[in-house]
Amino acid sequence: MDFDILFEKFSQLVLESQSFAELQNVKAQILGKNGEITDLLKSISSLSIEEKKTFGASVNILKNKVEDIVQKRAEHFKDEETRLKLETERLDISLPLTPLSIGKIHPITRLMMEIENFFKPQGFTFVDGQELEDEWHNFDALNIPHHHPARQDHDTFYVKGSLKSESNQRHVLRTHTSNTQIRYLKDHKPPLRMISHGKVYRSDAIDATHTPMFHQMECLVIEPKISFAHLKHTIQTFLEYIFGSTNIPIRFRPSYFPFTEPSAEVDVRCISKNNQLIFSNEGNWMEILGCGMVHPNVIKNCNLDPNQYQGFAFGVGLERLAMLKYGITDIRQFYNNHPDWINHFGSNPLCI
Ligand code: DAH
């Protein structure tokens, strides 16, 4: 038997296989249970001792050589598979990125963040107020009498239905953030410094300067020896911080609020240029906030002794501040959710 010719024949079969599956078939034909080499091995037992030695050795050499090339061919298919995989699953890192749309921070939210940055380091506590309020917290406790125009139906949204209330009164959508003064004072013993900001509601007209919902911020400080001078300093430095300028023409004008005595309104002076408001000593005075020393009746209504405690408070509309700061001329734009508007007036979240 010519083992070289046999090897030639088997290696040709192996090399002609075109896939791993085909190779498995060829391998079974040669080395499987009824394979040709297996048959040769089986035939050894019927040979004489002499023949067994030479024939047996040659069959085993042939078997090892064939197993070797089968293994090599299998490795070839495996490499080919990996190569194909790499080729088809390759990432093209030269492709340009789809532009990232990260959105902008709304000017009112931005203002709230700046308010926190200014007041928190000064020891103020930020509290969430409630928008659904009873008449007592929104009006009575703040010394606002029943005949006050703000209580009339055309200014206040009265809410139907019987919600649970400590004072068993009608409910309203709060008309200002001053309700938080009462809720905080009732629950906390002075000395205290509090800020609250959020939505307020008034049954107003809708035009360039009015909307039925807007935002306010409330400040309350009750501490021994607090005076009007502290109030003036706080407001002055607050406005300088918000507008990023120490040259704001500002004045305190005597006014009236039921919950403060004395009361004042703060005006800033500005002119309109190219549809924008700019601080200027030649401009008109514009009212931006209300303030005063907390009225003794408010302190009394919160079960504290007005002879022992005094403090100051102020409240400010956030839209009014934002309109001045960013040169926005129509309050309705804050709520239109117009992407171009937000892109223009909003702030990049990665830059603040
Ligand atoms: N609550 C007032 C308003 O809505 C604003 C205000 C004025 C708040 C004087 C105060 C204050 O705390 O002291 O118009």
Side-chain angles (χ1 to χ4, degrees):
M1 188 170 287
D2 190 334
F3 286 97
D4 287 339
I5 291 180
L6 264 183
F7 178 68
E8 269 310 305
K9 179 183 133 189
F10 292 148
S11 58
Q12 197 154 343
L13 279 174
V14 168
L15 291 176
E16 272 168 8
S17 64
Q18 291 306 312
S19 66
F20 196 73
E22 259 182 62
L23 176 67
Q24 291 308 105
N25 281 339
V26 172
K27 188 181 171 188
Q29 263 176 49
I30 308 169
L31 296 158
K33 239 178 164 181
N34 301 312
E36 290 187 47
I37 294 187
T38 318
D39 285 347
L40 290 175
L41 286 168
K42 281 182 198 157
S43 67
I44 296 175
S45 57
S46 56
L47 298 174
S48 67
I49 295 191
E50 248 342 275
E51 280 170 328
K52 265 182 190 162
K53 263 189 195 160
T54 53
F55 185 82
S58 300
V59 175
N60 270 316
I61 289 169
L62 175 68
K63 181 178 172 250
N64 289 341
K65 274 163 71 179
V66 171
E67 275 175 349
D68 226 36
I69 56 158
V70 167
Q71 166 137 9
K72 285 213 171 91
R73 190 71 182 152
E75 275 164 17
H76 163 80
F77 287 131
K78 211 160 197 167
D79 288 351
E80 192 62 8
E81 194 186 347
T82 314
R83 195 185 59 78
L84 262 174
K85 228 177 178 172
L86 283 175
E87 197 140 278
T88 48
E89 292 174 9
R90 191 169 61 183
L91 274 183
D92 184 353
I93 54 165
S94 68
L95 266 181
L97 280 179
T98 328
L100 253 189
S101 174
I102 52 170
K104 292 280 179 77
I105 298 205
H106 193 281
I108 297 295
T109 309
R110 162 89 191 255
L111 202 53
M112 287 174 167
M113 292 159 102
E114 284 175 358
I115 289 169
E116 294 187 17
N117 288 346
F118 178 77
F119 283 107
K120 272 195 177 152
Q122 299 185 51
F124 281 81
T125 303
F126 276 72
V127 302
D128 283 334
Q130 54 191 74
E131 291 173 27
L132 185 58
E133 189 54 282
D134 58 52
E135 276 190 291
W136 190 80
H137 287 87
N138 194 79
F139 297 125
D140 299 47
L142 283 157
N143 202 32
I144 302 175
H146 270 270
H147 58 264
H148 196 282
R151 293 181 77 134
Q152 280 163 25
D153 288 355
H154 61 263
D155 273 326
T156 306
F157 286 112
Y158 284 89
V159 179
K160 273 190 187 160
S162 54
L163 285 154
K164 247 194 162 177
S165 151
E166 306 144 58
S167 46
N168 231 358
Q169 294 210 359
R170 281 197 296 176
H171 279 81
V172 298
L173 291 182
R174 67 172 175 189
T175 56
H176 51 182
T177 44
S178 303
N179 65 331
T180 55
Q181 288 191 27
I182 304 302
R183 293 215 168 257
Y184 197 70
L185 255 183
K186 278 197 325 184
D187 292 345
H188 297 83
K189 221 176 143 24
L192 54 87
R193 298 176 179 191
M194 175 216 86
I195 300 281
S196 184
H197 48 49
K199 294 185 174 70
V200 300
Y201 302 85
R202 287 186 199 170
S203 179
D204 251 338
I206 304 182
D207 57 32
T209 49
H210 299 88
T211 46
M213 183 283 297
F214 57 100
H215 297 78
Q216 277 191 345
M217 178 208 110
E218 196 74 15
C219 171
L220 174 71
V221 174
I222 307 280
E223 280 178 27
K225 300 208 179 104
I226 277 287
S227 74
F228 203 87
H230 294 112
L231 169 64
K232 277 189 83 173
H233 175 79
T234 307
I235 289 175
Q236 172 97 30
T237 50
F238 168 61
L239 293 179
E240 285 173 359
Y241 180 81
I242 292 297
F243 293 112
S245 160
T246 47
N247 284 327
I248 305 171
I250 171 175
R251 76 174 179 194
F252 285 73
R253 178 171 39 81
S255 183
Y256 168 75
F257 295 105
F259 33 92
T260 43
E261 181 58 35
S263 303
E265 276 174 296
V266 173
D267 302 333
V268 291
R269 210 169 189 187
C270 44
I271 48 168
S272 172
K273 220 180 196 176
N274 298 333
N275 235 356
Q276 281 213 3
L277 289 168
I278 297 164
F279 294 120
S280 161
N281 283 322
E282 277 126 47
N284 297 321
W285 289 105
M286 189 174 91
E287 180 244 314
I288 54 164
L289 63 84
C291 64
M293 301 305 291
V294 180
H295 196 292
N297 285 351
V298 173
I299 306 236
K300 225 187 290 171
N301 289 337
C302 297
N303 304 320
L304 294 168
D305 179 2
N307 293 318
Q308 198 184 344
Y309 296 109
Q310 63 177 350
F312 69 72
F314 68 88
V316 51
L318 299 190
E319 281 77 357
R320 178 68 62 91
L321 286 188
M323 284 166 90
L324 259 174
K325 183 172 161 121
Y326 298 109
I328 296 164
T329 46
D330 189 326
I331 192 174
R332 291 167 293 194
Q333 294 174 342
F334 283 104
Y335 321 114
N336 280 347
N337 286 334
H338 205 294
D340 287 344
W341 186 87
I342 252 291
N343 248 337
H344 181 74
F345 289 107
S347 322
N348 186 334
L350 304 175
C351 299
I352 51 173

